[in-house]
Each structure stands twice: as C-alpha cells, then as structure tokens.
C-alpha cells in the first residue's frame, strides 16, 4: 500500500501540476519520493513536470526510474523515450520503445512513436552519409562519395534530391572507374573481375578469377593477400570451411592482424567444430580493441566468445 503521507504530497503535486506550477509540483513529488521511493507514479509525474520545463535530462532520469520501479508501467517508457527524442538520442529512444513494446506489443502510442523515431533515425543516417559524400567530393574522392550516397539511398529511397545527387555522382564514378580499370595490369583486372562476380553472387566463378590472380601475382603481395581474403569469403559462402581456413591462414601469415581473415577463420573453425581454435581467433580480435577491430566485428566476436566458451566448458564436462 502507498504511504499515506507520500500520497498527500503527490496530491499537492498534482494540484500544482494542473495549475502549470511545475517547479512547485516537483518539490511535492520529490517529497513523496523521499517518503516512498517504491511508487512509479511519483517518478512519472515528476518526469512530466521536468518535461514541462524543457529539462529533458531530469525528465529522462525520472522516466528511467519509473521503469526501474515498475517495468509494466507503459507510461514510463513513453516518458523516457520522449525525453531521449528531445535530446536527439534517437537510437536510445528506439531501444526504450522496443522494451516498452515487449511489455505491451499493441500499444498504439508506443507504436506511433516508434514509427516516428525509426523514420528520424533513417533520415539522420541519410543526412550523415550525405555529409560524408560532400566531404569526399571536396577532397576529390569520387569513389567514397559514390559509396556513401549509395548507402544513403538504401535508407532514404524516397528522397528526390538525394536521388538527383546520386545520379550526378554515379556518372562521375563510372567515368573514374572506367579510367581506373583501363590502367590496371592483367593480374589486377582478374581480381577486379572476381570482385564483380562475388557481388553478383557468382561465387564459383569468382573463385576461378581470384585463383588466377593468386597464381599470377608475386608472393607475397598486397594484391595476392586481397585475392586470398576474397576467395576465402567465397569459400565461406559455399560452406567450404576447410578451404576458408586455408586461405585465411595464408592471409594471416602475411598480415597477422588482418581482422577480416581472423573473424572469417574463427567462423569457419566453429563450423567444423574446432571450437578452441575459433575462440583463440576471437579473443585475438577482441585484444586488438574496438577501434582496430571495428564495432561490428568486435560485437560479433564478443557474442562468439560467449557462445564458444559455453560449448568448450560443456566439452570439458563431457556434456557436449
């Protein structure tokens, strides 16, 4: 049961809130919380007061406290997500709404807000990518600009201005790419043709071209390493894990900290149930740090480490 004295303070706060005396209401809700910190409504109401004063950090803190006290109280998720949106923390708001929808999947308010936040995240990502493209163009890097705009189109396909910008840069990129390829050596062209086949999902054809490039390139060379790494990717797509391991190992002999090869070999080791070797590669990637490994690879390796450690412990205990 709520504390009677705390409820009296809440009632005083409610009266102040209705009169839009948010500061006065905050004082009474704070007193109510001090008397009984187990009531989610006190945090929720105080969060609303802070929102009325545009004090979004405090509103977010109370929204989070509201959820902590009562995870089933949907308005707490709405309070926190609203504050996060106001502070331009769109990803955080999206995560909060996802948690709320796990409690009440058909809540119309949360669903509506989630759609708006997702759209905001999409537009924010598009804007960031377009800015990166402009920066690359200013530096004369047409290839990077093209890739950035291509990624922007993937998340913002209905943007006519973006489409026009992409078409303009696409023409520049195609001309630059044609010129670049015409100056490649025959061996370099084999690797490029292999890349084209890989992108088209023609992995067996790509393997043939990468193999020709490897056979005709000097040992070791940066070109050969790239071709080996790419051929390993093809073998992995075809579930030829022994060949994947072989090519990745060759890459790592030349470049011991090649993250792509380490991650790919770890995945192949796991697929052929060589769990200890997989864990060894995973741990090495993580030891390089997130800045070297990259956020996606670091997260993947963290997940793999947890999974592999469990399997290895079960093997030790004879339960696997």
């Amino acid at each position: 049961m709520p504390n009677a004295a705390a409820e009296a303070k809440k009632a005083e706060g409610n009266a102040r809130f209705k009169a839009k005396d948010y500061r006065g209401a905050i004082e009474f809700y704070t007193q109510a919380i001090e008397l009984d910190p187990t009531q989610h409504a006190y945090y929720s109401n105080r969060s609303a007061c802070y929102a009325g004063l545009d004090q979004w950090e405090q509103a977010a803190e109370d929204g989070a406290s509201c959820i902590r006290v009562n995870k089933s109280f949907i308005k707490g998720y709405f309070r926190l997500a609203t504050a996060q949106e106001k502070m331009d923390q769109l990803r955080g708001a999206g995560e909060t709404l996802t948690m709320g929808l796990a409690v009440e999947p058909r809540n119309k308010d949360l669903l509506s807000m989630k759609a708006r936040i997702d759209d905001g995240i999409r537009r924010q990502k598009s804007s960031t990518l377009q800015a990166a493209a402009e920066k690359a163009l200013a530096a004369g890097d047409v290839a990077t600009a093209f890739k950035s705009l291509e990624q922007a189109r993937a998340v913002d396909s209905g943007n006519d201005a973006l489409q026009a910008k992409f078409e303009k840069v696409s023409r520049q990129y195609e001309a630059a790419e044609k010129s670049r390829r015409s100056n490649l050596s025959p061996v370099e062209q084999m690797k490029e043709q292999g890349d084209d086949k890989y992108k088209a999902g023609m992995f067996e054809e790509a393997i043939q071209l990468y193999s020709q490039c490897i056979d005709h390139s000097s040992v070791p060379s940066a070109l050969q390493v790239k071709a080996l790494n790419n051929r390993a990717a093809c073998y992995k797509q075809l579930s030829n894990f022994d060949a994947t391991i072989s090519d990745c190992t060759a890459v790592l002999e030349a470049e011991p900290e090649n993250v792509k090869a380490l991650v790919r070999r770890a995945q192949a080791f796991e697929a052929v149930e060589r769990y200890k070797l997989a864990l060894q590669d995973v741990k090495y990637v993580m030891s390089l740090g997130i800045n070297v490994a990259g956020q996606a690879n670091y997260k993947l390796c963290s997940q793999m480490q947890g999974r592999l450690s469990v399997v290895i412990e079960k093997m030790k205990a004879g339960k696997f």
Side-chain angles (χ1 to χ4, degrees):
M1 291 292 291
N3 182 294
E7 284 292 291
K9 296 295 183 183
K10 174 194 171 188
E12 291 280 2
N14 289 349
R16 298 294 191 283
F17 181 83
K18 289 178 182 177
K20 296 187 178 181
D21 177 12
Y22 300 127
R23 295 188 189 281
I26 286 170
E27 290 183 15
F28 283 105
Y29 290 137
T30 300
Q31 291 173 32
I33 290 168
E34 290 171 351
L35 290 166
D36 187 356
T38 67
Q39 298 301 309
H40 62 266
Y42 303 163
Y43 296 103
S44 177
N45 292 2
R46 192 171 67 174
S47 178
C49 292
Y50 282 127
L53 295 170
D54 289 334
Q55 294 180 7
W56 297 110
E57 286 188 16
Q58 294 90 331
E61 288 175 8
D62 274 352
S65 294
C66 184
I67 295 169
R68 175 178 52 78
V69 171
N70 185 351
K71 290 181 173 58
S72 299
F73 186 65
I74 293 300
K75 191 175 286 186
Y77 298 96
F78 187 79
R79 298 278 194 221
L80 176 55
T82 298
Q84 289 171 316
E85 181 183 18
K86 291 293 184 179
M87 293 187 291
D88 204 28
Q89 298 174 2
L90 299 185
R91 292 195 180 280
E95 291 170 2
T96 297
L97 292 166
T98 297
M99 289 190 295
L101 287 167
V103 177
E104 195 173 311
R106 297 182 180 179
N107 186 281
K108 292 182 179 179
D109 290 334
L110 294 187
L111 286 169
S112 176
M113 189 176 185
K114 183 70 164 59
R116 185 176 74 247
I117 293 296
D118 286 346
D119 185 61
I121 292 172
R122 178 183 59 75
R123 286 185 282 106
Q124 192 177 69
K125 185 175 182 180
S126 174
S127 178
T128 300
L129 287 165
Q130 289 183 64
E134 292 293 340
K135 185 177 180 180
L137 282 174
D141 188 352
V142 176
T144 297
F146 173 78
K147 290 176 182 177
S148 294
L149 291 175
E150 193 171 41
Q151 291 172 342
R153 285 175 71 242
V155 297
D156 198 5
S157 59
N159 189 325
D160 292 337
L162 169 59
Q163 179 61 27
K165 193 184 300 183
F166 173 78
E167 289 174 0
K168 180 180 178 181
V169 173
S170 180
R171 289 190 291 271
Q172 294 176 266
Y173 173 72
E174 287 173 4
E177 188 67 1
K178 185 177 180 180
S179 175
R180 184 186 69 82
R181 288 202 175 201
S182 67
N183 292 318
L184 294 176
S185 69
V187 178
E188 289 172 327
Q189 288 183 16
M190 292 174 191
K191 188 263 181 188
E192 293 285 328
Q193 291 166 11
D195 292 347
D196 292 338
K197 295 295 185 183
Y198 179 84
K199 291 173 184 175
M202 302 169 69
F203 303 120
E204 292 180 351
E205 291 86 344
I207 287 170
Q208 292 178 0
L209 288 160
Y210 288 137
S211 296
Q212 292 174 29
C213 174
I214 292 163
D215 292 341
H216 290 84
S217 61
S218 58
V219 183
S221 69
L223 179 64
Q224 187 188 64
V225 169
K226 288 180 181 178
L228 281 165
N229 225 352
N230 291 2
R231 189 173 70 176
C234 293
Y235 282 134
K236 181 172 173 288
Q237 289 289 341
L238 296 172
S239 298
N240 186 342
F241 299 115
D242 288 334
T244 303
I245 292 167
S246 178
D247 275 359
C248 288
T249 299
V251 170
L252 293 167
E253 287 174 357
E255 298 179 4
E257 295 187 358
N258 189 299
V259 174
K260 285 184 179 179
L262 285 163
V263 172
R264 196 170 285 135
R265 189 172 71 172
Q267 292 172 319
F269 275 141
E270 183 180 20
V272 295
E273 300 182 4
R274 297 166 72 180
Y275 301 115
K276 290 183 180 179
L277 291 173
L279 183 59
Q280 183 176 306
D281 279 347
V282 162
K283 285 184 174 180
Y284 188 69
V285 172
M286 295 184 70
S287 75
L288 297 175
I290 194 168
N291 290 332
V292 174
Q295 185 174 0
N297 285 323
Y298 194 89
K299 183 178 180 180
L300 172 62
C301 286
S302 178
Q303 293 170 342
M304 288 183 69
Q305 182 181 31
R307 182 170 68 245
L308 290 165
S309 296
V310 170
V311 172
I312 291 169
E313 286 302 314
K314 287 183 177 180
M315 289 175 65
K316 288 179 179 178
K319 297 179 180 179
F320 188 82

